[in-house]
Amino acid sequence: MIRLGVNIDHIATIRNARGEAFPSLIEAGLIAETNGADSITVHLREDRRHIKDNDVILLRQTLKTQLNLEMAATSEMVEFALQVRPDFVCLVPEKREELTTEGGLDVLGNLDHIGNVVNVLQKNGIITSLFIDAEEDQITAASDLDARAIEIHTGKYAILKSDYYESDEFFQIKDMAEYASSLGLIVNGGHGLNYHNVKPIAWIPQMHELNIGFAIIAQSVFWGLPKAVHEMKRLMQEACSSRG
Ligand code: PXP
């Protein structure tokens, strides 16, 4: 069955808006786990705009499933990851001024640097994934570096308003998921996925895990977090069950 990674960064955004200790990241993580999350994702950004170092440390100690740490491939972050030991690291590009992660990592253009980071993390038992666009040369580069996994950036697909199954963006992700899997990579996906567009991506046979944040946390304002997580997982499982 396909896995759901719930990104809880925006629980921290709400908490930080008033400088309070609530809503609690730990409570959010545990509620998400109880309602269908297979892992919990947090992005420790260089500017610490939402998640703080201590959040990651406390989540590591409390979560019952698995912790996926999104981070830039900097020496500061590598040192932190080696200290906290998340189950997974997803390496993402990071520009201070962007609203969210806007494009995939350029693995091909930074082979030596990203290769070293992947090597150090994986040698220390942390399964490492590269967040990349659905492009053949980037996937080949990820495989050449022996990264265990990739996360395909679904952002361009996610901004479509309809006809998901007929779109070029969908076919590109589907074909590239098949290609990556043929190279032995674990294939995950994420960015911009929501209750309307998630099913075609969850239907792709090679998709192992989807990481979803904003849509779930935003919808939880109306539904509550248990239902928001549960409904996303239900849609994903329905699509997964109809795979060929
Ligand atoms: N995957 C990666 C690598 C990301 O950087 C993000 C955004 O933090 C997500 C998934 C989740 O994206 P969204 O919040 O749009 O669901």
Side-chain angles (χ1 to χ4, degrees), residues 31-46:
I31 289 173
E33 287 182 326
T34 309
N35 288 279
D38 299 290
S39 63
I40 301 297
T41 298
V42 287
H43 184 173
L44 185 65
R45 297 187 75 104
E46 190 194 354

Side-chain angles (χ1 to χ4, degrees), residues 15-137:
R15 177 196 62 189
N16 298 350
R18 296 298 288 266
E20 297 284 354
F22 62 90
S24 150
L25 270 274
I26 303 300
E27 199 176 343
L30 296 177
I31 289 173
E33 287 182 326
T34 309
N35 288 279
D38 299 290
S39 63
I40 301 297
T41 298
V42 287
H43 184 173
L44 185 65
R45 297 187 75 104
E46 190 194 354
D47 62 7
R48 309 300 197 269
R49 71 175 67 157
H50 35 54
I51 299 295
K52 315 284 184 201
D53 300 42
N54 204 39
D55 293 328
V56 188
I57 293 166
L58 291 176
L59 285 166
R60 170 75 289 186
Q61 292 164 1
T62 338
L63 291 177
K64 297 184 171 57
T65 58
Q66 290 174 307
L67 177 65
N68 176 30
L69 176 63
E70 291 175 2
M71 59 179 228
T74 61
S75 48
E76 182 206 5
M77 287 298 161
V78 171
E79 203 174 303
F80 181 74
L82 293 179
Q83 193 192 315
V84 178
R85 305 268 169 164
D87 300 282
F88 312 107
V89 157
C90 180
L91 295 177
V92 300
E94 201 176 296
K95 290 190 227 89
R96 204 180 283 253
E97 65 279 8
E98 69 190 357
L99 276 179
T100 178
T101 314
E102 282 164 9
L105 202 59
D106 181 10
V107 182
L108 199 56
N110 297 281
L111 278 176
D112 287 349
H113 176 63
I114 294 174
N116 285 337
V117 172
V118 168
N119 190 27
V120 170
L121 293 171
Q122 293 193 152
K123 244 183 20 208
N124 282 278
I126 301 170
I127 297 171
T128 305
S129 166
L130 303 179
F131 184 52
I132 54 179
D133 291 323
E135 291 172 5
E136 189 171 324
D137 54 359

Side-chain angles (χ1 to χ4, degrees), residues 7 9-10 43 70 90 92 100-101 131 151 190-193 211-215:
N7 179 317
D9 290 351
H10 294 304
H43 184 173
E70 291 175 2
C90 180
V92 300
T100 178
T101 314
F131 184 52
E151 181 170 323
H191 208 279
L193 295 175
N211 282 303
I212 307 179
F214 183 74

Side-chain angles (χ1 to χ4, degrees), residues 110-180:
N110 297 281
L111 278 176
D112 287 349
H113 176 63
I114 294 174
N116 285 337
V117 172
V118 168
N119 190 27
V120 170
L121 293 171
Q122 293 193 152
K123 244 183 20 208
N124 282 278
I126 301 170
I127 297 171
T128 305
S129 166
L130 303 179
F131 184 52
I132 54 179
D133 291 323
E135 291 172 5
E136 189 171 324
D137 54 359
Q138 296 290 351
I139 293 170
T140 308
S143 169
D144 289 345
L145 295 184
D146 282 332
R148 190 74 194 84
I150 59 165
E151 181 170 323
I152 297 182
H153 195 314
T154 52
K156 279 197 205 120
Y157 160 87
I159 56 173
L160 302 174
K161 293 291 171 245
S162 60
D163 299 327
Y164 303 115
Y165 281 107
E166 282 84 49
S167 66
D168 293 344
E169 289 81 358
F170 170 69
F171 280 105
Q172 181 70 14
I173 293 170
K174 177 176 165 299
D175 291 349
M176 290 301 109
E178 194 176 337
Y179 173 62

